[in-house]
């Protein structure tokens, strides 16, 4: 293996489940470049498309899709995942073989896997990134959590993008009762930075997540927004070859935005209406923005986080079936997320790739 960072190649591979895993890898990729590593990006679908737009000069590789599908009704979420599990397991086995070949072909010195279970190899230092040390699946939580813990214990380290203490963002999701020396709490990570700029919008709506739920919420909110009196910007979360912009009365619609554009509109907006996905929660904490959550129906993790943060008096939420635009008035009665002030010591974390 190589002896200096400038010669070291790191494979970084986020799961393609919505855009959250890909977007939170953006600051990690930038940190790798700043520390003179050579990142190679690997994923599939919209996650890979987004990272290609963000890093057009970096090498990208395609991995097999886990074929994760959402049910149209939240109550069928777990059954849909079970139906797809054989396809997912096949993709995991295939990507394990592919990665083994890439290590030799591209002289890979280290691996960063964001929830891709097959992106691992014993030959090189492999790090697993997750905020779900416990995987919530209702009455099968204990099984899915044990399986996940068994998998990430194979890696050299497991990075959790949260605080390790009692004041944290993930609660039971990202904290175990028994300490594990492989787990490192690195603090919230975000591709966005706080900026002091004049307010331009009263409301930012930003959508993400797999279909069909993303599209169902988009269609519903486009009807509800007709009852909104303030100035709003609506980011649909549709990654496409070309960006589109449409202005209808008091609402400006974009199909997607890159990181620079998103950073601007987040900072320019008073409140944010979004899913309670963990990557979005980290963005809000870093940007110190008040928000309202609509968790993805049937996704236990998002429902848990929304309930936790509302119970703590930080962020209100409503279910997708019950949300009304007038519910946004509740935001003013909540404190907002705890501020993220800490700087991530990337140089120290990347020492894992030194033999």
């Amino acid at each position: 293996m190589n002896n200096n960072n400038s010669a070291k190649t790191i494979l970084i591979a986020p799961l393609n489940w919505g855009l959250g895993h890909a977007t939170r890898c953006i600051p990690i990729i930038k940190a790798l470049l700043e520390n003179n590593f050579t990142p190679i990006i690997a994923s599939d679908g919209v996650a890979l498309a987004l990272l290609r737009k963000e890093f057009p000069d970096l090498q990208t590789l395609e991995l097999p899709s886990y074929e994760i599908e959402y049910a149209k009704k939240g109550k069928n979420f777990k059954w849909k995942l079970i139906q797809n599990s054989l396809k997912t397991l096949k993709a995991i086995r295939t990507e394990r073989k592919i990665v083994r070949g890439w290590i030799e072909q591209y002289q890979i010195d280290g691996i960063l896997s964001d929830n891709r279970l097959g992106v691992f190899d014993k030959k090189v230092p492999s790090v697993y990134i997750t905020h779900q040390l416990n995987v919530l699946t209702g009455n099968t939580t204990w099984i899915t959590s044990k399986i996940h813990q068994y998998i990430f214990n194979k890696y050299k380290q497991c990075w959790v993008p949260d605080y390790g203490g009692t004041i944290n963002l993930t609660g039971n999701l990202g904290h175990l009762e028994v300490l594990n020396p492989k787990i490192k709490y690195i603090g919230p990570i975000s591709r966005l930075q706080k900026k002091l700029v004049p307010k331009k919008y009263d409301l930012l709506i930003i959508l993400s997540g797999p279909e069909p739920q993303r599209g169902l919420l988009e269609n519903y909110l486009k009807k509800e927004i007709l009852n909104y009196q303030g100035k709003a910007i609506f980011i649909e979360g549709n990654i496409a070859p070309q960006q589109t912009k449409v202005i209808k009365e008091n609402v400006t619609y974009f199909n997607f935005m890159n990181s620079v554009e998103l950073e601007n509109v987040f900072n320019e907006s008073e409140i944010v209406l979004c899913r309670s996905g963990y990557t979005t929660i980290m963005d809000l904490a870093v940007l110190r923005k008040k928000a309202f959550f609509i968790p993805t129906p049937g996704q236990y993790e998002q429902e848990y986080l929304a309930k936790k943060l509302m119970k703590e008096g930080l962020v209100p939420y409503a279910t997708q079936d019950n949300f009304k635009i007038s519910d946004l008035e509740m935001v003013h009665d909540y404190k907002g997320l705890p501020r993220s002030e800490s700087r991530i010591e990337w140089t120290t974390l990347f020492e894992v790739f030194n033999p």
Side-chain angles (χ1 to χ4, degrees):
M1 294 296 170
N2 304 309
N3 295 318
N4 58 77
N5 293 355
S6 60
K8 285 192 172 179
T9 300
I10 308 299
L11 180 70
I12 180 164
L15 179 65
N16 177 34
W17 185 323
L19 296 175
H21 295 279
T23 56
R24 74 184 183 192
C25 281
I26 290 172
I28 303 176
I29 295 167
K30 288 181 177 178
L32 285 167
L33 291 167
E34 288 167 5
N35 283 271
N36 299 317
F37 291 94
T38 302
I40 294 179
I41 300 166
S43 191
D44 66 283
V46 292
L48 185 59
L50 181 140
L51 291 174
R52 280 174 170 160
K53 286 181 180 293
E54 291 287 334
F55 301 100
D57 297 328
L58 290 184
Q59 183 168 9
T60 57
L61 303 170
E62 189 157 3
L63 285 164
S65 171
Y66 281 20
E67 298 193 39
I68 298 167
E69 295 179 43
Y70 269 68
K72 287 189 176 180
K73 294 184 179 179
K75 64 180 181 180
N76 298 327
F77 173 77
K78 185 160 62 173
W79 173 239
K80 192 73 171 177
L81 287 184
I82 292 170
Q83 283 181 308
N84 293 333
S85 61
L86 288 178
K87 293 178 184 177
T88 301
L89 288 170
K90 183 180 178 183
I92 291 168
R93 285 195 297 268
T94 303
E95 74 179 0
R96 184 80 182 271
K97 293 177 184 176
I98 291 170
V99 168
R100 197 175 299 140
W102 285 348
I103 289 170
E104 301 301 325
Q105 184 178 354
Y106 298 104
Q107 294 293 292
I108 290 168
D109 299 281
I111 288 172
L112 282 167
S113 167
D114 188 329
N115 279 87
R116 290 202 82 110
L117 306 178
V119 180
F120 165 84
D121 199 273
K122 291 179 180 179
K123 290 182 180 180
V124 299
S126 298
V127 176
Y128 192 71
I129 305 167
T130 188
H131 63 276
Q132 291 179 283
L133 302 180
N134 289 306
V135 181
L136 305 186
T137 54
N139 56 8
T140 54
T141 290
W142 69 276
I143 301 173
T144 49
S145 296
K146 288 295 181 187
I147 292 171
H148 199 216
Q149 290 159 27
Y150 170 78
I151 291 168
F152 72 64
N153 268 310
K154 292 183 175 183
Y155 288 74
K156 191 171 182 179
Q157 289 181 7
C158 177
W159 295 353
V160 179
D162 192 9
Y163 306 111
T166 52
I167 298 175
N168 58 66
L169 298 175
T170 58
N172 294 335
L173 271 181
H175 298 80
L176 302 176
E177 292 182 5
V178 180
L179 292 176
N180 182 328
K182 289 193 173 187
I183 295 170
K184 290 187 177 292
Y185 289 94
I186 67 175
I189 53 177
S190 174
R191 58 177 165 160
L192 310 176
Q193 291 184 332
K194 175 72 176 173
K195 290 181 178 178
L196 296 175
V197 294
K199 189 188 87 170
K200 193 172 178 180
Y201 304 100
D202 300 295
L203 174 65
L204 163 63
I205 299 175
I206 182 163
L207 304 184
S208 61
E211 300 295 356
Q213 290 297 341
R214 190 215 58 79
L216 291 171
L217 182 58
E218 178 190 335
N219 293 335
Y220 178 71
L221 290 180
K222 282 184 174 178
K223 295 174 185 174
E224 275 297 302
I225 198 69
L226 298 175
N227 301 315
Y228 187 69
Q229 300 302 313
K231 191 174 182 182
I233 183 165
F234 195 126
I235 316 298
E236 298 164 356
N238 273 319
I239 302 298
Q242 298 295 324
Q243 185 184 71
T244 59
K245 176 183 178 181
V246 177
I247 299 175
K248 291 184 180 179
E249 297 182 1
N250 59 327
V251 185
T252 303
Y253 295 89
F254 285 87
N255 55 346
F256 72 93
M257 281 188 171
N258 63 29
S259 293
V260 174
E261 293 166 328
L262 274 178
E263 184 174 85
N264 289 333
V265 296
F266 259 101
N267 280 293
E268 291 168 345
S269 301
E270 183 74 19
I271 62 172
V272 182
L273 175 62
C274 54
R275 295 293 196 195
S276 50
Y278 187 59
T279 299
T280 304
I281 289 172
M282 290 192 291
D283 289 339
L284 293 167
V286 169
L287 296 172
R288 304 169 201 166
K289 286 294 172 182
K290 286 198 167 187
F292 193 102
F293 291 142
I294 304 176
T296 301
Q299 190 173 332
Y300 294 97
E301 172 206 340
Q302 289 195 16
E303 291 172 345
Y304 167 79
L305 288 170
K307 289 174 184 176
K308 171 192 183 298
L309 297 171
M310 186 168 180
K311 186 178 179 181
E312 293 173 354
L314 303 177
V315 181
Y317 86 94
T319 63
Q320 189 163 303
D321 290 337
N322 294 327
F323 173 78
K324 299 294 180 188
I325 206 75
S326 57
D327 292 341
L328 295 176
E329 292 297 322
M330 297 167 60
V331 171
H332 305 294
D333 299 325
Y334 287 75
K335 293 182 289 186
L337 294 163
R339 292 185 175 186
S340 172
E341 304 284 2
S342 60
R343 289 181 61 85
I344 298 172
E345 298 295 331
W346 292 115
T347 303
T348 303
L349 286 169
F350 292 153
E351 286 178 0
V352 69
F353 301 124
N354 294 322

